[in-house]
Structures are given as structure tokens and as C-alpha cells.
């Protein structure tokens, strides 16, 4: 069976990580990368740098990762869905709920995998805490408070940087 041909659009801070991971996956070949603003981290490697989602689609990819600024998620995801390309969209899925619903519908109506990258769900510390909570190891929990250990990165200003860096959830 041939490897999946993967494409990546967006070569910023998150895109560089997606490029690395795609290259490490068995059964996947990163064959095309695109970013209209260039490749500040050298993530393209020996691949030619394409400038648009249309160029990425024309490269004949089976799957794609969209790591563009949030404001562009809907435009890019809808074009990838229209082309029949399974896609992981970096979080948040869209700039607003209506756009997120349009993206979800586009993939679902075509029988495509459309996923959102929620990497913190797989953070070993959070997985351990989840298991300990489910096992009752921590007793009755009434409140959990988390705090970001650094400043909110300016690079993700398009995804709600006006949020406070501290969140509290009560049950």
C-alpha cells in the first residue's frame, strides 16, 4: 500500500511542528507545503514552497494540515473539503461558531475526515490527571484552577488572546 501524500499549509510556529510530525509518521510522506508569507523556520526543507491552498491541492495530496491564522481557517478548510482532501485544522476550528459549523458540514457531507488539532488533550500530565480523577485518587474535586506559565504568545492573537491567562472551572 502506498504512503499517504500529505500537504501542509501554514509554516509559522505551529506549522513547523506539524511539518516535523508529518515527516516522522510511518505511512505518510510530506509532499507539499504552502505559505503565502514564506517559511520563517525552514520547515519546507527540500520541498518547494507553494503560495496558496490551490497550489497545495494541485500537488495531489491525500490529506492536509491547515495551520494558517484562524481568520483563514474557513476559507482554506472549505477549499480542501471541496477538493476531497481529508484535513486537520489547527485549533480553534474557526473564527466563530457559524464558520465552524460550515466547516464541519463541508467535511461530513463529503464523507471526509475533518479534524481539529487539540494537542493538549494528549499532554501526558493532563492524561494522568484525568485518569487520577476518574479513579477517585484525588477525592472529591470541587474546583480546578490552571495558570499559563508564560505570557500569552502574540503569534496566536487571532484565536482569542484577549482571554485571561488564568481560567477557573467549577463543578
Amino acid at each position: 500500500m502506498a504512503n499517504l501524500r500529505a500537504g501542509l499549509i501554514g509554516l509559522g510556529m505551529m506549522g513547523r511542528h506539524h511539518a516535523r510530525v508529518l515527516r516522522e509518521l510511518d505511512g505518510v510522506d510530506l509532499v507539499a507545503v504552502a505559505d503565502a508569507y514564506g517559511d520563517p523556520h525552514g520547515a519546507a526543507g527540500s520541498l518547494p514552497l507553494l503560495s496558496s491552498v490551490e497550489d497545495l491541492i494541485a500537488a495531489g495530496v491525500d490529506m492536509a494540515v491547515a495551520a494558517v491564522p484562524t481568520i483563514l481557517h474557513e476559507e482554506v478548510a472549505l477549499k480542501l473539503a471541496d477538493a476531497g482532501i481529508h484535513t486537520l485544522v489547527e485549533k480553534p476550528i474557526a473564527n466563530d461558531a457559524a464558520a465552524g459549523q460550515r466547516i464541519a458540514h463541508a467535511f461530513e457531507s463529503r464523507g471526509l475526515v475533518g479534524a481539529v488539532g487539540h494537542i493538549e488533550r494528549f499532554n501526558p500530565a493532563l492524561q494522568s490527571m484525568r485518569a487520577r480523577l476518574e479513579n477517585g485518587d484525588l477525592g472529591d474535586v470541587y474546583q480546578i484552577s490552571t495558570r499559563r506559565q508564560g505570557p500569552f504568545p502574540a503569534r496566536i492573537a487571532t484565536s482569542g488572546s484577549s482571554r485571561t491567562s488564568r481560567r477557573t472551572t467549577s463543578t
Side-chain angles (χ1 to χ4, degrees):
M1 177 178 220
N3 284 355
L4 289 172
R5 295 172 49 83
L8 168 64
I9 182 163
L11 297 174
M13 293 298 286
M14 289 305 295
R16 70 183 176 143
H17 295 299
H18 285 290
R20 175 182 47 78
V21 170
L22 286 166
R23 285 185 171 107
E24 293 173 355
L25 289 175
D26 288 335
V28 175
D29 292 326
L30 180 60
V31 299
V33 296
D35 195 312
Y37 299 105
D39 183 11
H41 306 288
S46 63
L47 295 172
L49 179 60
L50 307 174
S51 62
S52 69
V53 67
E54 292 84 3
D55 292 343
L56 191 75
I57 292 166
V61 298
D62 303 310
M63 60 175 283
V65 174
V68 296
T70 305
I71 195 73
L72 299 174
H73 284 187
E74 182 179 17
E75 174 187 347
V76 168
L78 293 180
K79 287 180 180 180
L80 290 165
D82 283 344
I85 298 170
H86 305 282
T87 303
L88 176 117
V89 178
E90 189 49 67
K91 72 172 175 30
I93 191 169
N95 214 32
D96 58 45
Q101 289 172 343
R102 287 188 292 272
I103 292 169
H105 176 74
F107 285 95
E108 183 178 28
S109 67
R110 291 166 177 85
L112 296 169
V113 174
V116 183
H118 289 283
I119 193 165
E120 286 303 314
R121 287 185 178 180
F122 304 100
N123 179 320
L126 293 178
Q127 288 183 325
S128 174
M129 167 115 17
R130 185 177 297 117
R132 293 179 71 199
L133 286 167
E134 289 171 357
N135 291 334
D137 297 344
L138 303 176
D140 293 330
V141 177
Y142 298 98
Q143 184 175 38
I144 296 174
S145 179
T146 62
R147 181 177 304 218
R148 186 176 188 86
Q149 293 301 306
F152 202 84
R155 66 180 167 77
I156 53 177
T158 63
S159 62
S161 65
S162 62
R163 296 180 294 213
T164 61
S165 62
R166 181 179 177 160
R167 298 190 181 117
T168 303
T169 303
S170 298
T171 58

